[in-house]
């Protein structure tokens, strides 16, 4: 006798059969399911940790919901779950929709489109001034017709300041110097005319163009503050670690090899011998293996892409039919190339 005849008033939403006594029941929003029936509508797998997404009455696991419905962020490229900011002909995470000049979040304060860029109101004012070849003085907020004086990260009319040594009215050649240890960063910075500054013999940082009063890093034919000598790719300070130079720029070991060499996708080490390329990644030849059963594969082995990783045909054939169908379609429309080279 079918289980439904036993409990006619409590039936599974999917299969319409009832439940055996003491059988486990999944209850979500008043709907009852057999555990084996409570699965993703796309891949027919159970929901990891019971987490699912619902759209038009159908339930999906997070991966399939993202693949089918979630928009991609115009900045980080990741799927957006939750609040979506629609602007500049794209979708964004709220924390990814930033002013393209100062990186201030724009989701709640609004933005102005300037030359196809999203800018906050302050940066838009600066951009307009820059389009005229001008700067805006941080003190009097009027246009600077001549060269500006840069002080504490802002620009000013030079005549607003006097040399801390000789008292002369400053021009754009003035130098900012840390001269009073023990004070905050803004309190201990002082301005000197070029003549007084040159008497101090202080080197200038090649990155921030400010005087260096503490440790000096000399590289690329320039002097740097320790914290300003950074990798050109990840912008992390070397802090005494080895760096690699290429076309006048410095790189950490990882990014130097990523840009100009090969790192194995599995061991993340520099590939010294043969390089196996597949799925837009590089692998040590002996590390290229099925992501499911870990069987080693060669360039002649047929494989499929699953979750951005290679899967051998044997493991692929064990996947649910619907999933195999979708993966085969993706494989046929966008064939993956692989090769091995010295």
């Amino acid at each position: 006798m079918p289980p439904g005849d036993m409990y006619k008033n409590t039936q599974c939403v999917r299969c319409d059969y009832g439940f055996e006594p003491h059988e486990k029941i999944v209850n979500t929003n008043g709907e009852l399911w057999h555990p084996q029936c409570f699965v993703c509508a796309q891949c027919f797998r159970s929901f990891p940790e019971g987490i699912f997404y619902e759209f038009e009455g159908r339930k999906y696991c997070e991966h399939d919901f993202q693949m089918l419905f979630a928009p991609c962020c115009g900045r980080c490229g990741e799927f957006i779950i939750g609040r979506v900011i629609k602007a500049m002909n794209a979708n964004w995470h709220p924390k990814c929709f930033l002013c393209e000049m100062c990186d201030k979040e724009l989701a709640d304060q609004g933005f102005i489109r300037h030359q196809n860029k999203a800018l906050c109101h302050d940066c838009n004012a600066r951009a307009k001034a820059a389009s005229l070849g001008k700067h805006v003085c941080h003190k009097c907020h009027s246009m600077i017709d001549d060269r500006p004086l840069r002080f504490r990260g802002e620009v000013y009319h030079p005549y607003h300041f006097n040399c801390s040594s000789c008292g002369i009215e400053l021009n754009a050649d003035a130098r900012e110097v840390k001269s009073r240890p023990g004070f905050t960063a803004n309190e201990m910075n002082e301005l000197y005319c070029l003549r007084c500054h040159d008497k101090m013999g202080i080197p200038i940082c090649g990155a921030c163009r400010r005087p260096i009063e503490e440790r000096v890093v000399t590289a690329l034919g320039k002097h740097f503050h320790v914290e300003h000598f950074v990798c050109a790719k990840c912008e992390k300070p070397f802090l005494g670690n080895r760096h690699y130079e290429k076309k006048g720029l410095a790189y950490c070991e990882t990014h130097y090899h990523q840009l100009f060499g090969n790192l194995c996708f599995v061991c993340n080490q520099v590939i010294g011998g043969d390089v196996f390329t597949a799925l837009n990644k590089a692998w040590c030849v002996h590390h290229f293996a099925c992501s499911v059963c870990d069987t080693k594969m060669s360039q002649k082995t047929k494989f499929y892409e699953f979750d951005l990783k290679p899967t051998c045909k044997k493991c692929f054939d064990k996947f649910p039919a619907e999933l195999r169908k979708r993966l085969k379609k993706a494989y046929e429309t966008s064939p993956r190339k692989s090769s091995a080279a010295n």
Side-chain angles (χ1 to χ4, degrees):
M1 180 176 64
D5 293 340
M6 189 177 300
Y7 296 96
K8 294 182 179 179
N9 294 328
T10 55
Q11 295 177 318
C12 174
V13 173
R14 183 180 181 194
C15 68
D16 291 331
Y17 282 104
F19 301 91
E20 296 284 355
H22 309 297
E23 182 180 8
K24 185 177 180 181
I25 301 175
V26 178
N27 187 334
T28 172
N29 296 327
E31 296 179 339
L32 305 180
W33 310 69
H34 292 108
Q36 64 271 22
C37 293
F38 189 61
V39 295
C40 173
Q42 183 69 19
C43 66
F44 306 108
R45 293 183 175 182
S46 58
F47 302 110
E49 301 179 359
I51 298 174
F52 65 91
Y53 296 83
E54 189 165 350
F55 184 77
E56 294 183 349
R58 306 183 74 189
K59 295 175 175 59
Y60 300 89
C61 64
E62 182 175 8
H63 176 269
D64 286 324
F65 179 80
Q66 291 176 344
M67 292 295 292
L68 293 171
F69 308 112
C72 290
C73 177
R75 183 179 181 89
C76 68
E78 299 293 331
F79 291 111
I80 305 174
I81 302 297
R83 185 184 178 191
V84 180
I85 303 299
K86 294 181 177 292
M88 306 292 291
N89 300 320
N91 300 299
W92 316 80
H93 291 104
K95 292 186 177 180
C96 288
F97 187 49
L98 308 175
C99 171
E100 295 195 38
M101 289 181 64
C102 69
D103 287 340
K104 185 185 297 181
E105 290 187 19
L106 302 174
D108 296 316
Q109 75 164 24
F111 72 98
I112 298 175
R113 186 168 188 156
H114 179 80
Q115 294 182 352
N116 207 32
K117 294 181 180 180
L119 303 180
C120 66
H121 293 277
D122 291 339
C123 289
N124 179 64
R126 295 190 185 96
K128 284 186 176 179
S131 66
L132 300 173
K134 308 287 185 180
H135 291 275
V136 176
C137 177
H138 188 66
K139 184 174 183 178
C140 67
H141 305 292
S142 60
M143 290 283 186
I144 303 174
D145 294 324
D146 233 332
R147 289 171 57 206
L149 172 63
R150 300 184 180 277
F151 183 45
R152 296 175 184 172
E154 303 292 346
V155 293
Y156 300 86
H157 290 103
Y159 55 72
H160 289 310
F161 302 92
N162 296 89
C163 176
S164 298
S165 178
C166 68
I168 190 175
E169 183 180 288
L170 295 176
N171 59 28
D173 294 324
R175 294 288 187 263
E176 184 178 358
V177 177
K178 295 179 181 180
S179 57
R180 291 184 290 171
F183 289 78
T184 64
N186 284 343
E187 289 175 326
M188 64 185 178
N189 291 2
E190 294 183 346
L191 286 169
Y192 293 85
C193 66
L194 188 59
R195 180 177 179 182
C196 292
H197 177 268
D198 288 345
K199 292 179 181 179
M200 300 177 185
I202 301 174
I204 301 298
C205 177
C208 69
R209 307 305 303 168
R210 294 186 177 183
I212 307 173
E213 278 119 12
E214 298 175 357
R215 282 184 58 195
V216 179
V217 176
T218 302
L220 306 175
K222 302 176 183 178
H223 301 295
F224 297 90
H225 289 102
V226 174
E227 65 274 17
H228 290 168
F229 184 51
V230 300
C231 171
K233 177 65 175 178
C234 64
E235 298 185 352
K236 291 183 178 179
F238 293 107
L239 302 177
N241 294 321
R242 183 177 181 183
H243 72 276
Y244 296 78
E245 297 183 10
K246 183 79 172 181
K247 295 182 179 179
L249 298 175
Y251 298 88
C252 63
E253 182 175 11
T254 297
H255 288 111
Y256 179 83
H257 288 298
Q258 280 184 353
L259 295 170
F260 309 111
N262 289 292
L263 291 180
C264 177
F265 178 72
V266 174
C267 65
N268 202 36
Q269 300 297 315
V270 179
I271 304 175
D274 291 344
V275 179
F276 193 98
T277 58
L279 307 180
N280 296 320
K281 300 178 181 69
W283 319 66
C284 298
V285 173
H286 57 283
H287 281 160
F288 185 66
C290 173
S291 61
V292 178
C293 65
D294 203 33
T295 299
K296 297 295 185 291
M297 298 189 295
S298 70
Q299 60 181 347
K300 297 182 179 179
T301 305
K302 184 175 182 179
F303 66 89
Y304 294 87
E305 178 183 348
F306 178 68
D307 196 21
L308 305 180
K309 297 176 183 178
T311 302
C312 69
K313 188 176 185 304
K314 183 177 179 181
C315 291
F316 175 81
D317 289 340
K318 297 179 181 178
F319 288 166
E322 181 64 23
L323 178 59
R324 293 201 310 270
K325 181 179 178 181
R326 288 187 287 112
L327 292 176
K328 279 186 176 180
K329 184 176 180 181
Y331 180 85
E332 292 168 356
T333 57
S334 180
R336 307 298 180 188
K337 297 181 180 180
S338 61
S339 64
N342 291 325

